[in-house]
Amino acid sequence: MTLSQKLATLLVAIIALSASALADDAYQAHCASCHGSAGKGNASLGAPNLTLFSRAYLTRQLQGFKEGWRDTSNPYSGSMSAAIAALDSEVLAEAVATIDKLPDSQKISSGNPTLGNADRGKDLYTAYCGACHGTRAGGNDALGAPNLLGLDANYLARQYHHFSEGRRGFHPDDRYGKQMTRLSRSLKDPALIADVSAYVAQLSQ
Ligand code: HEC
Ligand code: HEC
């Protein structure tokens, strides 16, 4: 290798290194305080585990928070929207790239999944949810349906209620959110979501 070739190789390595350091920084600087440095989430802040979501889903949700698809009158969606309001799409893309590289964490951080009946939840999940979210709840990007594994039971139930109460999936541009809103009426009693959460929590273990 000539000296100039060596220098060129070195330069490429340095650029790659600083690009990855930058990506780490975007997540650690702007997201880790709530979602945790490993991305596992923080139940007391209502911040979900991010490690099992696909890039497509993460990117779309970030766009949604920016564009007013989520009801910011509740403190959880409000704090998340405020946290990223000043960040441009480049920084957000760097954060997503870092999340993508974090090891998957299936840990249920809290919530009391035993509140629901997992057996009944299994029947409900199979009948009403599995077609989109997958039989093992791992999600299906082609349908826009996210992974549900590893989500805190309270978080899962809260989001479901947001859909069924029209506080998520109401924006005209939120195509996938609107789909889930329609589906959220399939459980006759929204309280049955506790059973579904209990079943999904069981799948996560
Ligand atoms: C101040 C705390 C806080 C910070 C900082 C924060 N988040 Fe959040 N995030 C939350 C909370 C709370 C929620 C749940 C919102 C809700 O319930 O609607 C959330 C939700 C999300 C969701 C939606 C997940 C889903 O299940 O649909 C994504 C994606 C996300 N955050 C990514 C990020 C990224 C990327 C960053 C950094 C650029 C970040 N967050 C910074 C608190 C935060
Ligand atoms: C027709 C397909 C479809 C069916 C059936 C369906 N969903 Fe969904 N679900 C979606 C889509 C698409 C999204 C993503 C919405 C978005 O982008 O905001 C979603 C999002 C969700 C979320 C939000 C997750 C998060 O991280 O914020 C929860 C919770 C959820 N679904 C639970 C359920 C449950 C429980 C059932 C069964 C009772 C169900 N879904 C049935 C398509 C479906």
Side-chain angles (χ1 to χ4, degrees):
M1 216 187 262
T2 66
L3 182 61
S4 65
Q5 275 170 333
K6 276 184 193 158
L7 283 174
T9 314
L10 193 64
L11 195 65
V12 167
I14 289 170
I15 291 169
L17 198 68
S18 57
S20 73
L22 205 68
D24 282 348
D25 282 346
Y27 178 80
Q28 298 303 340
H30 303 294
C31 321
S33 56
C34 294
H35 291 280
S37 55
K40 289 181 188 173
N42 180 329
S44 62
L45 298 173
N49 175 1
L50 299 176
T51 61
L52 289 154
F53 290 129
S54 68
R55 268 177 114 121
Y57 180 76
L58 289 166
T59 305
R60 190 170 77 244
Q61 293 310 312
L62 291 171
Q63 177 196 359
F65 280 107
K66 285 276 241 195
E67 296 183 5
W69 298 0
R70 305 275 283 245
D71 159 35
T72 50
S73 68
N74 79 79
Y76 300 115
S77 313
S79 66
M80 172 60 198
S81 297
I84 64 162
L87 305 178
D88 62 29
S89 52
E90 222 164 280
V91 173
L92 292 178
E94 280 164 14
V96 167
T98 299
I99 296 167
D100 215 30
K101 284 188 249 142
L102 292 171
D104 289 354
S105 166
Q106 309 247 350
K107 183 172 162 284
I108 301 283
S109 30
S110 89
N112 191 353
T114 53
L115 280 177
N117 177 330
D119 286 338
R120 195 164 53 196
K122 180 180 183 178
D123 292 341
L124 292 167
Y125 183 86
T126 307
Y128 299 118
C129 322
C132 292
H133 289 280
T135 44
R136 302 286 302 169
N140 182 336
D141 256 347
L143 300 171
N147 163 73
L148 300 175
L149 290 177
L151 283 183
D152 176 80
N154 290 335
Y155 179 80
L156 199 160
R158 191 171 79 239
Q159 294 308 316
Y160 193 85
H161 287 298
H162 280 183
F163 284 115
S164 68
E165 291 160 13
R167 292 190 284 137
R168 183 170 166 188
F170 56 84
H171 195 280
D173 297 337
D174 187 4
R175 184 157 72 94
Y176 293 108
K178 281 194 293 188
Q179 227 173 63
M180 184 53 215
T181 297
R182 275 196 297 279
L183 260 301
S184 68
R185 295 181 196 123
S186 54
L187 293 185
K188 288 190 183 60
D189 177 0
L192 291 172
I193 190 62
D195 298 339
V196 177
S197 284
Y199 174 62
V200 173
Q202 211 176 60
L203 282 179
S204 306
Q205 277 149 19

